[in-house]
Amino acid sequence: MGIINFPTATKQEMMDISEVAFANVVTDGPLASYCDVRTGVKSGDRLAWVNPLNMVGKPSRGCEPESDNASATLVEKVWALKDYDFRIEQCYTELEQILYNLGLKDAIDRGDLSGTEYATFLDTLITNAMDKMYKRFVWFGDTEAANVADGGKILNGVDVDYYTVVDGIFKQIDTMIAAGDEGVVVTAIAANTKATYALQMSEVWDPIAILTSCILDAPVAIEAESDQQVMVSRFFMNKLKAKMLSLPQYTDSQFTRNEQGYRTVTFMGYEIMEMKEWDEQIKNYIQNGTKYYKPFRALFTTKSNLKVGVPNTDTFGQL
């Protein structure tokens, strides 16, 4: 069984595999542009930081002062790396019957596809797939993922094992919300709860008001950081753009693409980034066949708060 189902074509049409067109893929820029990627991480490694010292400073207490009860809490997390793998197969005999010029090796090495033109072609396909894989792990990973029929959020028929490697950012946020963690402030978007795709998309709501609340109601600790970032789904960005362009102070030219390739707009001094990889997952997999699971999403956080650990610098994109 081959990886690619090549169409029937003449030898001349398929003479050079490098001319085969690739389907467009969602490439929103490197993961490291919005996550704090740590390399050289081992399971069990500890990550610790100290919260600010609480209040100090009272009227002078003379020569025998009473000590303040000042303290700074230590926060510690433990890295828990998980293994993953994927296996694909391609036999050279299937290829030589279809394509005229693959640059295959000769004689005894003919079955070795490494270093051939086909391998270069395949490398690009797999690298793009791995980029999507990492983003899926980071954002939508859930070690308890289940299909809708089993009480989960994954579309029936989709293999949930593609999601159970690690608990991603959204799963960790949901866990913090359920625990009542004061570090997470939630602003509800009513359109997310509607019963069908059509009702979700047609619901009238104000994305500017939601975004304003997201930013202004955020924990004050975020304001002290220099790497703040606001990310929204494409569903959200489309609503935001429509609303902004209905106001005289906004024009289409204010929606640009940054150096990582994200569609962005500046709002309240922040660059609002559209995360198309969220929508790709929500539209295709994180839904029940009737409605999407929270298509309208906005996240105000810091890059340093979104940590991703990998064993070594070659982990990303290495085959």
Side-chain angles (χ1 to χ4, degrees):
M1 178 65 183
I3 299 168
I4 305 167
N5 295 320
F6 289 101
T8 302
T10 66
K11 292 179 179 180
Q12 186 62 40
E13 287 172 334
M14 300 299 289
M15 185 170 290
D16 188 350
I17 196 168
S18 64
E19 295 178 2
V20 177
F22 290 100
N24 290 331
V25 296
V26 177
T27 53
D28 276 344
L31 191 64
S33 68
Y34 51 76
C35 287
D36 178 16
V37 178
R38 302 291 185 91
T39 60
V41 173
K42 300 186 294 294
S43 281
D45 283 354
R46 296 183 180 276
L47 181 67
W49 63 95
V50 179
N51 284 326
L53 195 66
N54 58 16
M55 286 195 295
V56 297
K58 296 179 179 179
S60 178
R61 283 154 282 183
C63 296
E64 296 181 2
E66 178 184 343
S67 297
D68 290 341
N69 294 319
S71 64
T73 56
L74 174 69
V75 180
E76 186 177 65
K77 300 291 185 180
V78 178
W79 286 108
L81 269 63
K82 302 294 183 181
D83 293 332
Y84 70 87
D85 63 39
F86 64 85
R87 180 181 294 270
I88 59 177
E89 64 180 53
Q90 178 71 74
C91 182
Y92 83 97
T93 58
E94 297 168 320
L95 298 173
E96 66 178 356
Q97 300 301 317
I98 301 172
L99 302 178
Y100 178 72
N101 179 13
L102 282 168
L104 296 179
K105 298 175 182 178
D106 294 326
I108 194 171
D109 294 325
R110 190 163 181 78
D112 179 9
L113 296 176
S114 62
T116 65
E117 194 173 0
Y118 177 76
T120 301
F121 173 80
L122 186 59
D123 177 271
T124 302
L125 284 181
I126 294 176
T127 299
N128 287 334
M130 290 177 70
D131 179 64
K132 291 187 177 185
M133 175 192 73
Y134 287 127
K135 292 173 180 176
R136 184 179 71 248
F137 290 168
V138 166
W139 289 110
F140 293 95
D142 183 349
T143 54
E144 299 176 322
N147 293 119
V148 173
D150 299 318
K153 305 177 183 70
I154 308 298
L155 185 67
N156 291 334
V158 176
D159 189 343
V160 297
D161 284 347
Y162 287 120
Y163 294 88
T164 56
V165 175
V166 295
D167 284 332
I169 293 169
F170 286 127
K171 172 61 179 295
Q172 293 186 44
I173 290 174
D174 287 343
T175 300
M176 294 171 73
I177 293 171
D181 194 312
E182 62 182 14
V184 179
V185 178
V186 181
T187 300
I189 301 175
N192 281 331
T193 65
K194 299 304 176 181
T196 66
Y197 308 129
L199 289 174
Q200 287 177 318
M201 296 302 111
S202 63
E203 177 76 1
V204 177
W205 54 284
D206 187 353
I208 291 180
I210 293 292
L211 201 55
T212 300
S213 176
C214 180
I215 294 171
L216 295 184
D217 296 339
V220 68
I222 292 181
E223 292 297 327
E225 303 299 327
S226 61
D227 59 348
Q228 304 145 339
Q229 53 189 12
V230 183
M231 294 171 281
V232 301
S233 64
R234 189 169 189 267
F235 285 115
F236 192 107
M237 180 67 94
N238 287 343
K239 288 281 188 179
L240 181 64
K241 183 174 182 178
K243 178 65 176 180
M244 285 183 164
L245 293 185
S246 71
L247 304 174
Q249 62 267 43
Y250 293 100
T251 66
D252 190 66
S253 63
Q254 290 169 279
F255 289 82
T256 60
R257 293 196 179 273
N258 64 15
E259 59 185 13
Q260 284 83 33
Y262 293 94
R263 182 168 63 153
T264 69
V265 65
T266 299
F267 178 75
M268 294 182 66
Y270 295 96
E271 181 185 67
I272 313 301
M273 296 191 300
E274 175 190 271
M275 307 294 288
K276 292 195 298 293
E277 62 257 42
W278 295 0
D279 295 71
E280 183 181 36
Q281 286 295 314
I282 293 167
K283 290 182 72 172
N284 296 321
Y285 311 111
I286 316 296
Q287 56 144 310
N288 66 4
T290 302
K291 69 174 185 177
Y292 303 120
Y293 181 72
K294 296 182 179 178
F296 303 106
R297 302 185 181 211
L299 177 62
F300 180 35
T301 185
T302 64
K303 178 178 177 179
S304 56
N305 199 37
L306 305 181
K307 297 188 186 300
V308 177
V310 294
N312 56 66
T313 55
D314 294 328
T315 299
F316 289 83
Q318 182 187 34
L319 304 182

